[in-house]
Amino acid sequence: MRVILHLIPVKYVPGAVVNKHTIQGFIYNLLQNTPYSGMHLKKGFKYFTFSDIFPPGDFYPGKKYTLIISSPDRRFISYVYNTLKATK
C-alpha cells in the first residue's frame, strides 16, 4: 500500500533543509494519537519506507513535488492517509 503526496510549497525553501530526518519526523508526527504513535521508539525495521521528495533540489512556490510513503501494513497507510486528509 502507498500514499502519494503532491506537495506545493507556498514559499521558497532550500532543498538542504528537507532531508530524510525531517521527512521521517513529518511521518511520525502524522501518527501521533494513533496505535502507531510509539513506533519511532521501537528498535529495528519500522515496516514503512518513503521516497525522496522529487524532483530533487530547492523548493519553489507553486511548483509540484511528490513524496511516496509505502508499507505492507494497510492500517498504517490508512492512518497516514486519514490524518493527511483531515489536515487539508
Side-chain angles (χ1 to χ4, degrees), residues 31-61:
L31 299 171
Q32 288 183 353
N33 303 314
T34 75
Y36 297 95
S37 61
M39 179 185 271
H40 68 285
L41 298 173
K42 294 182 180 178
K43 298 212 183 278
F45 187 67
K46 308 296 195 242
Y47 294 99
F48 77 91
T49 60
F50 54 90
S51 69
D52 289 332
I53 295 177
F54 55 92
D58 295 340
F59 299 92
Y60 294 95

Side-chain angles (χ1 to χ4, degrees), residues 1-5 20 23-24 26-28 30-31 39 44-54 67-73 76-77 80:
M1 301 270 317
R2 292 185 277 283
V3 172
I4 299 173
L5 288 92
K20 292 190 181 303
I23 296 169
Q24 188 175 27
F26 166 73
I27 295 168
Y28 285 135
L30 293 173
L31 299 171
M39 179 185 271
F45 187 67
K46 308 296 195 242
Y47 294 99
F48 77 91
T49 60
F50 54 90
S51 69
D52 289 332
I53 295 177
F54 55 92
L67 171 67
I68 302 170
I69 303 169
S70 303
S71 177
D73 185 341
F76 174 88
I77 292 297
V80 170

